[in-house]
Amino acid sequence: MAEDQTARPSPVALARRAARLTLSAGVRATAAPVRGLARLGRDDADPRWAGQTWLWQPGWGRRTHDRLYRHPDPYSIGLNPYEQQKYAAVMDALSGRRFRRVLEVGCGEGDLSVRLAGHADALLGVDICTAAVERAAARVPSGTFVRRTLPREMPDGTFDLIVCSDVLYYWEPVTLRVGIAALLDRLRPGGALLAYHYRGDFGQVNNADAVHDGLHAAGTARGLDTRRQETVEGVGPGAAGARFSLVVRPVTAQPPVGGAAAVPQPRTAGTDAPARPRS
């Protein structure tokens, strides 16, 4: 998640940001040639040393997030205008609908989970940081929260709704392609993947445009429907904007009964998929 800088940052905050950007850039520079060696003679979908998060999420892997979450709310989300408008936009896109099974990727401490829980029969939140999921579980007792490194540790089963909020730009390009494919393939008929990402650069390995263009391309290749593909202008630190996408797996028709030309009966996901309006 990006830090909001609408208010003037303190000298300490600026120093921490500079250190994080420097560390991230250094780790990325180190990881790049190693990734090249790891992929020699192998398919992109099968990266070597997949368990090494510093390699596939350089600068923003598990250790980085464990350091960030040593203290609660490292991003000051409760006071962050960008985060609050993002959550409002995500919930508006759901239009009050309810879903049987929801996956939240990068749930953090449960700030969005609190809102999603009211729309889910079963909410599964995953995050790379143990402290974050423990706080999310205490905050949202109706949900299930587990520490996972996605896409290597993708949860089992399929989902009616998958939400990815400021998380997929932490994935290196190969990991992003593999991860997007895995997420889309876990959508039930009528299910939707909703993604929202800040467009600015704060030292992350990837960017919002690559994430959302990749979602659209992978969805199209699978016959999925991109219901929304929007650029939200003027939001976030430096008013860099955001990208908002909603990709839906079409509802499949029921097979004819008794050989007759039966009228197809749609199956809904939870209650239905999210409304068309929103990225």
Side-chain angles (χ1 to χ4, degrees), residues 188-214:
R188 294 172 177 170
L193 187 151
L194 189 156
Y196 194 111
H197 291 82
Y198 169 64
R199 294 187 76 199
D201 180 9
F202 56 96
Q204 76 276 33
V205 68
N206 223 314
N207 61 73
D209 291 332
V211 168
H212 288 255
D213 292 346

PDB file of all heavy atoms in Angstrom, residues 188-214:
ATOM      1  N   ARG A 188     -15.115 -18.802  -9.848  1.00  0.00           N
ATOM      2  CA  ARG A 188     -16.252 -19.630 -10.214  1.00  0.00           C
ATOM      3  C   ARG A 188     -17.020 -18.956 -11.355  1.00  0.00           C
ATOM      4  O   ARG A 188     -16.857 -17.754 -11.592  1.00  0.00           O
ATOM      5  CB  ARG A 188     -17.187 -19.795  -9.012  1.00  0.00           C
ATOM      6  CG  ARG A 188     -16.579 -20.577  -7.868  1.00  0.00           C
ATOM      7  CD  ARG A 188     -17.482 -20.548  -6.640  1.00  0.00           C
ATOM      8  NE  ARG A 188     -16.926 -21.368  -5.564  1.00  0.00           N
ATOM      9  CZ  ARG A 188     -17.391 -21.373  -4.329  1.00  0.00           C
ATOM     10  NH1 ARG A 188     -18.420 -20.614  -3.989  1.00  0.00           N
ATOM     11  NH2 ARG A 188     -16.837 -22.156  -3.412  1.00  0.00           N
ATOM     12  N   PRO A 189     -17.863 -19.683 -12.077  1.00  0.00           N
ATOM     13  CA  PRO A 189     -18.734 -19.037 -13.069  1.00  0.00           C
ATOM     14  C   PRO A 189     -19.543 -17.915 -12.416  1.00  0.00           C
ATOM     15  O   PRO A 189     -20.156 -18.105 -11.367  1.00  0.00           O
ATOM     16  CB  PRO A 189     -19.636 -20.183 -13.532  1.00  0.00           C
ATOM     17  CG  PRO A 189     -18.803 -21.407 -13.335  1.00  0.00           C
ATOM     18  CD  PRO A 189     -18.018 -21.152 -12.069  1.00  0.00           C
ATOM     19  N   GLY A 190     -19.505 -16.747 -13.014  1.00  0.00           N
ATOM     20  CA  GLY A 190     -20.141 -15.581 -12.443  1.00  0.00           C
ATOM     21  C   GLY A 190     -19.285 -14.847 -11.439  1.00  0.00           C
ATOM     22  O   GLY A 190     -19.637 -13.755 -10.987  1.00  0.00           O
ATOM     23  N   GLY A 191     -18.118 -15.424 -11.072  1.00  0.00           N
ATOM     24  CA  GLY A 191     -17.238 -14.806 -10.090  1.00  0.00           C
ATOM     25  C   GLY A 191     -16.440 -13.655 -10.685  1.00  0.00           C
ATOM     26  O   GLY A 191     -16.261 -13.551 -11.898  1.00  0.00           O
ATOM     27  N   ALA A 192     -15.950 -12.781  -9.798  1.00  0.00           N
ATOM     28  CA  ALA A 192     -15.263 -11.571 -10.253  1.00  0.00           C
ATOM     29  C   ALA A 192     -13.974 -11.342  -9.492  1.00  0.00           C
ATOM     30  O   ALA A 192     -13.878 -11.649  -8.288  1.00  0.00           O
ATOM     31  CB  ALA A 192     -16.174 -10.358 -10.084  1.00  0.00           C
ATOM     32  N   LEU A 193     -12.978 -10.811 -10.189  1.00  0.00           N
ATOM     33  CA  LEU A 193     -11.751 -10.333  -9.562  1.00  0.00           C
ATOM     34  C   LEU A 193     -11.755  -8.820  -9.640  1.00  0.00           C
ATOM     35  O   LEU A 193     -11.854  -8.241 -10.727  1.00  0.00           O
ATOM     36  CB  LEU A 193     -10.511 -10.911 -10.243  1.00  0.00           C
ATOM     37  CG  LEU A 193      -9.172 -10.604  -9.534  1.00  0.00           C
ATOM     38  CD1 LEU A 193      -8.168 -11.721  -9.789  1.00  0.00           C
ATOM     39  CD2 LEU A 193      -8.567  -9.274 -10.001  1.00  0.00           C
ATOM     40  N   LEU A 194     -11.661  -8.178  -8.487  1.00  0.00           N
ATOM     41  CA  LEU A 194     -11.652  -6.721  -8.407  1.00  0.00           C
ATOM     42  C   LEU A 194     -10.261  -6.283  -7.955  1.00  0.00           C
ATOM     43  O   LEU A 194      -9.760  -6.755  -6.936  1.00  0.00           O
ATOM     44  CB  LEU A 194     -12.730  -6.262  -7.417  1.00  0.00           C
ATOM     45  CG  LEU A 194     -13.033  -4.764  -7.345  1.00  0.00           C
ATOM     46  CD1 LEU A 194     -14.452  -4.547  -6.818  1.00  0.00           C
ATOM     47  CD2 LEU A 194     -12.033  -4.022  -6.461  1.00  0.00           C
ATOM     48  N   ALA A 195      -9.641  -5.389  -8.726  1.00  0.00           N
ATOM     49  CA  ALA A 195      -8.279  -4.940  -8.410  1.00  0.00           C
ATOM     50  C   ALA A 195      -8.214  -3.417  -8.418  1.00  0.00           C
ATOM     51  O   ALA A 195      -8.814  -2.764  -9.282  1.00  0.00           O
ATOM     52  CB  ALA A 195      -7.281  -5.508  -9.422  1.00  0.00           C
ATOM     53  N   TYR A 196      -7.463  -2.867  -7.451  1.00  0.00           N
ATOM     54  CA  TYR A 196      -7.295  -1.414  -7.337  1.00  0.00           C
ATOM     55  C   TYR A 196      -5.854  -1.166  -6.904  1.00  0.00           C
ATOM     56  O   TYR A 196      -5.407  -1.686  -5.884  1.00  0.00           O
ATOM     57  CB  TYR A 196      -8.270  -0.865  -6.291  1.00  0.00           C
ATOM     58  CG  TYR A 196      -8.439   0.642  -6.305  1.00  0.00           C
ATOM     59  CD1 TYR A 196      -9.641   1.213  -6.713  1.00  0.00           C
ATOM     60  CD2 TYR A 196      -7.418   1.498  -5.885  1.00  0.00           C
ATOM     61  CE1 TYR A 196      -9.826   2.588  -6.713  1.00  0.00           C
ATOM     62  CE2 TYR A 196      -7.582   2.874  -5.894  1.00  0.00           C
ATOM     63  CZ  TYR A 196      -8.795   3.414  -6.297  1.00  0.00           C
ATOM     64  OH  TYR A 196      -8.957   4.780  -6.307  1.00  0.00           O
ATOM     65  N   HIS A 197      -5.110  -0.362  -7.693  1.00  0.00           N
ATOM     66  CA  HIS A 197      -3.696  -0.133  -7.395  1.00  0.00           C
ATOM     67  C   HIS A 197      -3.286   1.317  -7.669  1.00  0.00           C
ATOM     68  O   HIS A 197      -3.633   1.883  -8.720  1.00  0.00           O
ATOM     69  CB  HIS A 197      -2.810  -1.065  -8.237  1.00  0.00           C
ATOM     70  CG  HIS A 197      -2.917  -2.502  -7.853  1.00  0.00           C
ATOM     71  ND1 HIS A 197      -3.928  -3.313  -8.293  1.00  0.00           N
ATOM     72  CD2 HIS A 197      -2.133  -3.278  -7.049  1.00  0.00           C
ATOM     73  CE1 HIS A 197      -3.780  -4.528  -7.790  1.00  0.00           C
ATOM     74  NE2 HIS A 197      -2.702  -4.526  -7.034  1.00  0.00           N
ATOM     75  N   TYR A 198      -2.530   1.859  -6.745  1.00  0.00           N
ATOM     76  CA  TYR A 198      -1.938   3.191  -6.851  1.00  0.00           C
ATOM     77  C   TYR A 198      -0.915   3.211  -7.993  1.00  0.00           C
ATOM     78  O   TYR A 198      -0.125   2.275  -8.143  1.00  0.00           O
ATOM     79  CB  TYR A 198      -1.268   3.527  -5.516  1.00  0.00           C
ATOM     80  CG  TYR A 198      -0.383   4.733  -5.488  1.00  0.00           C
ATOM     81  CD1 TYR A 198      -0.897   6.007  -5.712  1.00  0.00           C
ATOM     82  CD2 TYR A 198       0.985   4.606  -5.200  1.00  0.00           C
ATOM     83  CE1 TYR A 198      -0.067   7.128  -5.663  1.00  0.00           C
ATOM     84  CE2 TYR A 198       1.811   5.716  -5.140  1.00  0.00           C
ATOM     85  CZ  TYR A 198       1.279   6.977  -5.370  1.00  0.00           C
ATOM     86  OH  TYR A 198       2.095   8.071  -5.319  1.00  0.00           O
ATOM     87  N   ARG A 199      -0.905   4.288  -8.789  1.00  0.00           N
ATOM     88  CA  ARG A 199      -0.048   4.348  -9.976  1.00  0.00           C
ATOM     89  C   ARG A 199       1.344   4.922  -9.705  1.00  0.00           C
ATOM     90  O   ARG A 199       2.200   4.887 -10.592  1.00  0.00           O
ATOM     91  CB  ARG A 199      -0.716   5.184 -11.073  1.00  0.00           C
ATOM     92  CG  ARG A 199      -1.986   4.577 -11.641  1.00  0.00           C
ATOM     93  CD  ARG A 199      -2.490   5.367 -12.821  1.00  0.00           C
ATOM     94  NE  ARG A 199      -1.699   5.105 -14.014  1.00  0.00           N
ATOM     95  CZ  ARG A 199      -1.680   5.906 -15.085  1.00  0.00           C
ATOM     96  NH1 ARG A 199      -2.333   7.048 -15.071  1.00  0.00           N
ATOM     97  NH2 ARG A 199      -0.961   5.573 -16.142  1.00  0.00           N
ATOM     98  N   GLY A 200       1.563   5.468  -8.532  1.00  0.00           N
ATOM     99  CA  GLY A 200       2.860   6.075  -8.251  1.00  0.00           C
ATOM    100  C   GLY A 200       3.952   5.054  -7.971  1.00  0.00           C
ATOM    101  O   GLY A 200       3.708   3.856  -7.864  1.00  0.00           O
ATOM    102  N   ASP A 201       5.180   5.566  -7.831  1.00  0.00           N
ATOM    103  CA  ASP A 201       6.343   4.715  -7.565  1.00  0.00           C
ATOM    104  C   ASP A 201       6.834   4.995  -6.156  1.00  0.00           C
ATOM    105  O   ASP A 201       7.180   6.116  -5.817  1.00  0.00           O
ATOM    106  CB  ASP A 201       7.445   5.030  -8.580  1.00  0.00           C
ATOM    107  CG  ASP A 201       8.702   4.174  -8.371  1.00  0.00           C
ATOM    108  OD1 ASP A 201       8.639   3.240  -7.549  1.00  0.00           O
ATOM    109  OD2 ASP A 201       9.722   4.458  -9.018  1.00  0.00           O
ATOM    110  N   PHE A 202       6.823   3.968  -5.305  1.00  0.00           N
ATOM    111  CA  PHE A 202       7.379   4.128  -3.963  1.00  0.00           C
ATOM    112  C   PHE A 202       8.412   3.045  -3.690  1.00  0.00           C
ATOM    113  O   PHE A 202       8.673   2.671  -2.552  1.00  0.00           O
ATOM    114  CB  PHE A 202       6.270   4.101  -2.901  1.00  0.00           C
ATOM    115  CG  PHE A 202       5.398   2.877  -2.930  1.00  0.00           C
ATOM    116  CD1 PHE A 202       5.656   1.807  -2.095  1.00  0.00           C
ATOM    117  CD2 PHE A 202       4.328   2.793  -3.806  1.00  0.00           C
ATOM    118  CE1 PHE A 202       4.851   0.674  -2.123  1.00  0.00           C
ATOM    119  CE2 PHE A 202       3.516   1.678  -3.835  1.00  0.00           C
ATOM    120  CZ  PHE A 202       3.782   0.612  -2.993  1.00  0.00           C
ATOM    121  N   GLY A 203       9.039   2.527  -4.771  1.00  0.00           N
ATOM    122  CA  GLY A 203      10.078   1.522  -4.623  1.00  0.00           C
ATOM    123  C   GLY A 203       9.601   0.110  -4.848  1.00  0.00           C
ATOM    124  O   GLY A 203      10.370  -0.835  -4.706  1.00  0.00           O
ATOM    125  N   GLN A 204       8.327  -0.079  -5.222  1.00  0.00           N
ATOM    126  CA  GLN A 204       7.810  -1.426  -5.488  1.00  0.00           C
ATOM    127  C   GLN A 204       8.408  -1.969  -6.781  1.00  0.00           C
ATOM    128  O   GLN A 204       8.849  -1.212  -7.642  1.00  0.00           O
ATOM    129  CB  GLN A 204       6.271  -1.427  -5.529  1.00  0.00           C
ATOM    130  CG  GLN A 204       5.634  -0.851  -6.780  1.00  0.00           C
ATOM    131  CD  GLN A 204       5.489   0.654  -6.785  1.00  0.00           C
ATOM    132  OE1 GLN A 204       6.308   1.358  -6.228  1.00  0.00           O
ATOM    133  NE2 GLN A 204       4.455   1.146  -7.455  1.00  0.00           N
ATOM    134  N   VAL A 205       8.399  -3.296  -6.932  1.00  0.00           N
ATOM    135  CA  VAL A 205       9.082  -3.922  -8.053  1.00  0.00           C
ATOM    136  C   VAL A 205       8.311  -3.778  -9.362  1.00  0.00           C
ATOM    137  O   VAL A 205       8.880  -3.821 -10.446  1.00  0.00           O
ATOM    138  CB  VAL A 205       9.355  -5.414  -7.752  1.00  0.00           C
ATOM    139  CG1 VAL A 205       8.075  -6.208  -7.690  1.00  0.00           C
ATOM    140  CG2 VAL A 205      10.320  -6.007  -8.762  1.00  0.00           C
ATOM    141  N   ASN A 206       6.984  -3.604  -9.299  1.00  0.00           N
ATOM    142  CA  ASN A 206       6.160  -3.502 -10.503  1.00  0.00           C
ATOM    143  C   ASN A 206       5.313  -2.248 -10.412  1.00  0.00           C
ATOM    144  O   ASN A 206       5.531  -1.407  -9.551  1.00  0.00           O
ATOM    145  CB  ASN A 206       5.316  -4.774 -10.662  1.00  0.00           C
ATOM    146  CG  ASN A 206       5.289  -5.264 -12.096  1.00  0.00           C
ATOM    147  OD1 ASN A 206       5.094  -4.472 -13.021  1.00  0.00           O
ATOM    148  ND2 ASN A 206       5.497  -6.548 -12.286  1.00  0.00           N
ATOM    149  N   ASN A 207       4.333  -2.089 -11.291  1.00  0.00           N
ATOM    150  CA  ASN A 207       3.514  -0.884 -11.256  1.00  0.00           C
ATOM    151  C   ASN A 207       2.069  -1.207 -11.628  1.00  0.00           C
ATOM    152  O   ASN A 207       1.763  -2.271 -12.174  1.00  0.00           O
ATOM    153  CB  ASN A 207       4.086   0.191 -12.182  1.00  0.00           C
ATOM    154  CG  ASN A 207       4.126  -0.263 -13.631  1.00  0.00           C
ATOM    155  OD1 ASN A 207       3.096  -0.348 -14.288  1.00  0.00           O
ATOM    156  ND2 ASN A 207       5.320  -0.564 -14.141  1.00  0.00           N
ATOM    157  N   ALA A 208       1.185  -0.279 -11.307  1.00  0.00           N
ATOM    158  CA  ALA A 208      -0.252  -0.495 -11.497  1.00  0.00           C
ATOM    159  C   ALA A 208      -0.617  -0.748 -12.955  1.00  0.00           C
ATOM    160  O   ALA A 208      -1.478  -1.584 -13.252  1.00  0.00           O
ATOM    161  CB  ALA A 208      -1.027   0.706 -10.968  1.00  0.00           C
ATOM    162  N   ASP A 209       0.023  -0.033 -13.879  1.00  0.00           N
ATOM    163  CA  ASP A 209      -0.331  -0.210 -15.288  1.00  0.00           C
ATOM    164  C   ASP A 209       0.003  -1.618 -15.766  1.00  0.00           C
ATOM    165  O   ASP A 209      -0.781  -2.249 -16.479  1.00  0.00           O
ATOM    166  CB  ASP A 209       0.384   0.837 -16.147  1.00  0.00           C
ATOM    167  CG  ASP A 209      -0.140   2.242 -15.900  1.00  0.00           C
ATOM    168  OD1 ASP A 209      -1.335   2.379 -15.529  1.00  0.00           O
ATOM    169  OD2 ASP A 209       0.626   3.208 -16.069  1.00  0.00           O
ATOM    170  N   ALA A 210       1.164  -2.139 -15.360  1.00  0.00           N
ATOM    171  CA  ALA A 210       1.528  -3.510 -15.742  1.00  0.00           C
ATOM    172  C   ALA A 210       0.547  -4.510 -15.150  1.00  0.00           C
ATOM    173  O   ALA A 210       0.144  -5.477 -15.810  1.00  0.00           O
ATOM    174  CB  ALA A 210       2.947  -3.823 -15.287  1.00  0.00           C
ATOM    175  N   VAL A 211       0.139  -4.278 -13.901  1.00  0.00           N
ATOM    176  CA  VAL A 211      -0.810  -5.182 -13.246  1.00  0.00           C
ATOM    177  C   VAL A 211      -2.136  -5.209 -13.985  1.00  0.00           C
ATOM    178  O   VAL A 211      -2.662  -6.280 -14.332  1.00  0.00           O
ATOM    179  CB  VAL A 211      -1.026  -4.760 -11.777  1.00  0.00           C
ATOM    180  CG1 VAL A 211      -2.228  -5.491 -11.174  1.00  0.00           C
ATOM    181  CG2 VAL A 211       0.221  -5.027 -10.951  1.00  0.00           C
ATOM    182  N   HIS A 212      -2.700  -4.057 -14.254  1.00  0.00           N
ATOM    183  CA  HIS A 212      -4.056  -3.999 -14.815  1.00  0.00           C
ATOM    184  C   HIS A 212      -4.083  -4.337 -16.304  1.00  0.00           C
ATOM    185  O   HIS A 212      -5.043  -4.952 -16.776  1.00  0.00           O
ATOM    186  CB  HIS A 212      -4.676  -2.643 -14.505  1.00  0.00           C
ATOM    187  CG  HIS A 212      -5.026  -2.499 -13.057  1.00  0.00           C
ATOM    188  ND1 HIS A 212      -6.318  -2.568 -12.585  1.00  0.00           N
ATOM    189  CD2 HIS A 212      -4.245  -2.344 -11.950  1.00  0.00           C
ATOM    190  CE1 HIS A 212      -6.318  -2.446 -11.270  1.00  0.00           C
ATOM    191  NE2 HIS A 212      -5.059  -2.309 -10.870  1.00  0.00           N
ATOM    192  N   ASP A 213      -3.032  -3.959 -17.029  1.00  0.00           N
ATOM    193  CA  ASP A 213      -2.949  -4.398 -18.419  1.00  0.00           C
ATOM    194  C   ASP A 213      -2.795  -5.911 -18.488  1.00  0.00           C
ATOM    195  O   ASP A 213      -3.379  -6.577 -19.364  1.00  0.00           O
ATOM    196  CB  ASP A 213      -1.770  -3.712 -19.122  1.00  0.00           C
ATOM    197  CG  ASP A 213      -1.989  -2.215 -19.311  1.00  0.00           C
ATOM    198  OD1 ASP A 213      -3.145  -1.760 -19.150  1.00  0.00           O
ATOM    199  OD2 ASP A 213      -1.002  -1.509 -19.592  1.00  0.00           O
ATOM    200  N   GLY A 214      -2.027  -6.471 -17.550  1.00  0.00           N
ATOM    201  CA  GLY A 214      -1.860  -7.920 -17.497  1.00  0.00           C
ATOM    202  C   GLY A 214      -3.159  -8.637 -17.150  1.00  0.00           C
ATOM    203  O   GLY A 214      -3.463  -9.702 -17.708  1.00  0.00           O
TER     204      GLY A 214
END
